[in-house]
């Protein structure tokens, strides 16, 4: 558990961790309390991921998430995060039409949302967009493999890079994004051997989610890892807690105890002095 007085991390700390042979930890949070929990746990990066469209907003995927929604959540998260690097996801449509959009929306994420850096999905076709944002002064984390914003193009939530050609393309993508100046890259849902080779060939850190243990770091979505999302669980998720079960039980217990007169008890109530209560009865009776 990190001391809340620990210093704020920077992107250079990530590279230093990798150089020391240590792992990087990144967790997706969606609001003030979840960001406080994640920040205080000692992880390096809090991802303000557009997966919040599913875990916090109830959409069926990340496609409908807007820049306004991302900034709204980023503001709450940035009020909580004292130590971790805040990575703000740019949603679908925020950087796809032109580089100006990418720069303007990256600036919004940093200026309004309070993020330290931004993340954008896509391979070598987005390298020049990533470079434009980096050149404008905002560090970029890349994201390749399963890129949920382009789910229709990929044919659904599917493992990527399974064929020799597709795996080789992922390496090309990663190298192009590194050359573009990205400081780290998320590898999502790709075969572990492909992810390990990409990690070996890159200088910048790789952060895997469903990409095996050979990556420089690991990312999980908080709602998945603590069991707060009941729709589906990808194979790569490990559930470390059952918060859904705990909260459901608390809600049932609350109703049972109220029905049975076990809540609230005297310790949950506020008292009034006897003479004050007598005066109160007189006052209401005299009306
Ligand atoms: O939105 C998100 O949480 C992500 C991670 C799955 C990498 O992009």
């Amino acid at each position: 558990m990190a001391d809340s007085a620990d210093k704020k991390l920077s992107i250079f700390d990530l590279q230093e961790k990798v150089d020391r042979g240590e792992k990087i930890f990144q967790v997706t949070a969606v609001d003030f309390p979840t960001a406080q929990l994640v920040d205080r746990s000692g992880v390096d990066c809090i991802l303000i991921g557009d997966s919040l469209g599913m875990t916090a907003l109830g959409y069926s995927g990340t496609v409908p998430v807007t820049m306004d929604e991302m900034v709204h959540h980023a503001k709450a998260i940035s009020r909580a995060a004292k130590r971790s690097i805040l990575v703000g996801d740019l949603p679908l449509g925020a950087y796809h039409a032109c580089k100006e959009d990418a720069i303007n929306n990256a600036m919004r994420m940093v200026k309004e949302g309070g993020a330290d850096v931004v993340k954008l999905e896509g391979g070598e076709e987005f390298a020049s967009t990533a470079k434009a944002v980096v050149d404008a002064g905002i560090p970029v984390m890349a994201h390749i493999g399963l890129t949920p914003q382009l789910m229709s193009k990929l044919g659904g939530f599917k493992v990527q890079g399974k064929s020799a050609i597709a795996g080789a393309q992922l390496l090309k993508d990663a190298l192009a994004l590194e050359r573009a100046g990205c400081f780290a890259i998320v590898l999502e849902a790709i075969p572990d051997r492909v992810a390990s080779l990409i990690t070996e060939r890159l200088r910048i850190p790789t952060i895997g989610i469903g990409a095996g243990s050979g990556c420089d770091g690991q990312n999980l979505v908080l709602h998945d890892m603590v069991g707060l999302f009941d729709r589906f669980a990808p194979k790569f998720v490990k559930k470390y807690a059952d918060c859904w079960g705990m909260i459901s039980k608390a809600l049932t217990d609350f109703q049972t105890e109220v029905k049975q007169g076990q809540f609230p008890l005297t310790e949950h109530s506020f008292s009034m002095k006897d003479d004050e209560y007598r005066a109160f009865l007189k006052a209401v009776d005299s009306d």
Side-chain angles (χ1 to χ4, degrees):
M1 185 76 61
D3 186 326
S4 57
D6 279 356
K7 76 169 179 62
K8 172 88 182 165
L9 298 177
S10 82
I11 55 172
F12 302 105
D13 292 308
L14 299 185
Q15 190 62 58
E16 281 172 21
K17 270 192 107 172
V18 175
D19 295 344
R20 289 197 300 269
E22 294 172 24
K23 291 286 185 189
I24 294 170
F25 302 103
Q26 175 161 289
V27 174
T28 306
V30 303
D31 57 15
F32 186 78
T34 55
Q36 274 188 313
L37 284 162
V38 175
D39 191 59
R40 292 178 192 180
S41 76
V43 305
D44 304 293
C45 304
I46 298 182
L47 175 58
I48 308 155
D50 61 359
S51 58
L52 66 79
M54 291 176 284
T55 55
L57 300 177
Y59 295 137
S60 59
T62 61
V63 169
V65 178
T66 65
M67 197 58 212
D68 285 346
E69 287 167 335
M70 289 305 296
V71 168
H72 178 76
H73 282 262
K75 282 181 176 175
I77 292 168
S78 66
R79 284 180 209 119
K82 304 286 176 227
R83 175 183 173 277
S84 320
I85 299 168
L86 273 186
V87 184
D89 233 352
L90 296 185
L92 183 68
Y95 56 95
H96 300 77
C98 61
K99 295 191 177 79
E100 285 70 27
D101 275 1
I103 295 170
N104 289 335
N105 284 316
M107 288 290 171
R108 257 196 93 186
M109 183 52 91
V110 170
K111 280 172 71 96
E112 290 177 44
D116 301 305
V117 303
V118 297
K119 174 168 88 56
L120 49 89
E121 297 182 5
E124 62 179 345
E125 69 281 16
F126 284 98
S128 62
T129 305
K131 182 173 183 322
V133 177
V134 173
D135 288 348
I138 299 179
V140 174
M141 179 180 282
H143 180 166
I144 61 169
L146 174 53
T147 47
Q149 291 174 8
L150 303 178
M151 207 176 63
S152 306
K153 185 176 156 194
L154 302 178
F157 286 104
K158 285 188 182 153
V159 179
Q160 301 297 307
K162 285 187 88 168
S163 69
I165 290 180
Q169 180 59 46
L170 284 176
L171 176 61
K172 261 181 96 184
D173 289 335
L175 288 168
L177 290 157
E178 178 177 85
R179 277 194 304 276
C182 294
F183 72 92
I185 182 163
V186 169
L187 306 178
E188 179 166 355
I190 67 177
D192 50 3
R193 290 198 280 190
V194 174
S196 294
L197 184 129
I198 293 175
T199 303
E200 277 165 29
R201 298 276 174 97
L202 291 186
R203 281 175 291 106
I204 58 172
T206 60
I207 302 179
I209 173 158
S213 60
C215 298
D216 296 312
Q218 294 294 326
N219 188 140
L220 278 179
V221 173
L222 184 73
H223 280 58
D224 288 336
M225 63 181 285
V226 301
L228 254 183
F229 184 66
D230 76 330
R231 289 228 205 112
F232 59 88
K235 174 181 155 98
F236 54 72
V237 168
K238 179 164 179 191
K239 208 165 125 181
Y240 288 88
D242 176 25
C243 288
W244 193 278
M246 279 171 56
I247 294 172
S248 300
K249 182 177 177 316
L251 289 163
T252 308
D253 289 352
F254 161 62
Q255 294 171 69
T256 306
E257 290 197 356
V258 170
K259 278 187 212 152
Q260 295 178 347
Q262 291 166 332
F263 178 84
L265 299 176
T266 317
E267 72 223 52
H268 307 114
S269 308
F270 302 100
S271 63
M272 185 188 239
K273 288 196 175 118
D274 288 345
D275 52 349
E276 216 42 67
Y277 184 62
R278 275 193 297 273
F280 161 72
L281 288 180
K282 244 187 188 170
V284 292
D285 287 346
S286 66
D287 281 348

